Amino acid sequence: MVSIRVIAYTVYSYIVIVLLSVIFIIPAFIIVCIPRTSRYNRLVYYIVYGFYIITQKFSLLSIDYIGRENIPNQPCIFAANHQSSFDIPLLGLLAGTSPHVWLARHDVLQDFWFLGFIIKRLTVLVDVSTPRQGMISLLRISNMVQKNGDHIMIFPEGGRFTTGDVKKFYGGFVVLARRLNRPIIPVYIKGVHTVYPPNTWWARWGRIKVIIGKPFILQKNETDNDFKQRIHQWFVDQVP
């Protein structure tokens, strides 16, 4: 049986979602309409950063960031586990107002055409249907971010999972780290799957921890697979 507290927090959460949608719908529509090559305006990322902050504040959740000092002052690849849509503002906040690009699977939200259209316009899609298409996507992304100096934001599990463990990683972020010579910043998000689990209407108040690990640097003689497994093991070690 659902408790009164869960019902109250769920109602509050949906009211907040509606209010945030009203506040940010016009800025979001403007950003979507701007050609991608023209979005590298500081004002755009101040608006996006404001969305991250307001979303977290209005959630009323207890959110602890641990290890912010591990983020270097250079373009990075932020890699996080993925449990809920709320992971997006939690991870995005780490980029601050710096330009950053989100990577998403090519089939993201294909059953929700309107929301899918918006998300596809605000992310860079990676086609994972075949290894060849995946590599073409990564080369295109590499050329784009190298020119503009964006942070890269990615969920290497390739989907949302609520089991609490860490799933197998796709290797695209390692390819980007090698081509761009960038550090990978691992980010373990704990507790979101119990607060805003996917495929349910209910929301529950809880505590969330965002653990930022030290940068992972690809070693000279290290293979892509070994590097990926080294990062994956760090995530596994964070699981209670």
Side-chain angles (χ1 to χ4, degrees):
M1 183 176 179
V2 179
S3 69
I4 294 177
R5 184 180 182 183
V6 169
I7 295 173
Y9 186 69
T10 300
V11 172
Y12 169 80
S13 297
Y14 283 114
I15 291 174
V16 169
I17 290 172
V18 171
L19 289 176
L20 290 178
S21 299
V22 171
I23 293 171
F24 285 99
I25 188 64
I26 294 178
F29 182 75
I30 293 174
I31 293 173
V32 164
C33 293
I34 297 175
R36 190 178 300 277
T37 55
S38 302
R39 291 182 195 167
Y40 298 96
N41 184 300
R42 205 67 172 186
L43 177 60
V44 169
Y45 291 98
Y46 273 109
I47 293 173
V48 174
Y49 184 63
F51 170 76
Y52 297 150
I53 291 179
I54 292 174
T55 300
Q56 293 190 37
K57 293 295 184 183
F58 274 75
S59 73
L60 302 181
L61 296 172
S62 175
I63 304 172
D64 297 321
Y65 280 88
I66 302 170
R68 284 177 180 266
E69 68 278 4
N70 292 327
I71 303 176
N73 188 26
Q74 68 179 94
C76 304
I77 299 174
F78 290 92
N81 59 313
H82 199 16
Q83 302 172 343
S84 166
S85 298
F86 196 63
D87 293 331
I88 294 173
L90 289 173
L91 181 62
L93 190 70
L94 298 180
T97 58
S98 299
H100 55 281
V101 59
W102 291 89
L103 304 192
R105 288 172 57 114
H106 72 290
D107 54 355
V108 62
L109 294 177
Q110 60 183 357
D111 296 329
F112 301 91
W113 69 270
F114 179 73
L115 188 57
F117 169 77
I118 297 294
I119 291 179
K120 288 175 182 179
R121 291 283 296 175
L122 294 177
T123 62
V124 178
L125 302 183
V126 181
D127 189 340
V128 295
S129 58
T130 66
R132 181 176 181 276
Q133 289 299 322
M135 186 56 65
I136 291 174
S137 298
L138 292 174
L139 291 175
R140 179 169 58 85
I141 294 165
S142 174
N143 294 333
M144 183 185 73
V145 300
Q146 192 169 36
K147 177 182 178 181
N148 299 304
D150 311 55
H151 291 304
I152 295 176
M153 323 298 285
I154 188 170
F155 299 112
E157 291 171 299
R160 294 182 296 174
F161 301 95
T162 61
T163 55
D165 58 345
V166 181
K167 303 301 182 182
K168 180 180 177 181
F169 283 178
Y170 285 88
F173 72 114
V174 173
V175 175
L176 291 173
R178 181 181 292 278
R179 286 186 57 84
L180 298 170
N181 192 29
R182 291 189 182 182
I184 291 178
I185 310 301
V187 181
Y188 180 72
I189 303 173
K190 176 184 176 182
V192 178
H193 68 290
T194 62
V195 177
Y196 291 115
N199 304 319
T200 180
W201 287 99
W202 302 114
R204 294 170 172 81
W205 189 91
R207 300 183 66 88
I208 294 174
K209 284 187 178 181
V210 182
I211 303 173
I212 303 107
K214 294 182 178 180
F216 278 85
I217 308 296
L218 183 63
Q219 302 302 309
K220 184 176 180 181
N221 296 320
E222 191 172 23
T223 66
D224 287 2
N225 187 62
D226 287 344
F227 187 45
K228 181 180 70 173
Q229 292 303 322
R230 185 156 61 95
I231 297 171
H232 186 270
Q233 186 59 48
W234 180 90
F235 280 89
V236 172
D237 291 343
Q238 309 309 311
V239 178

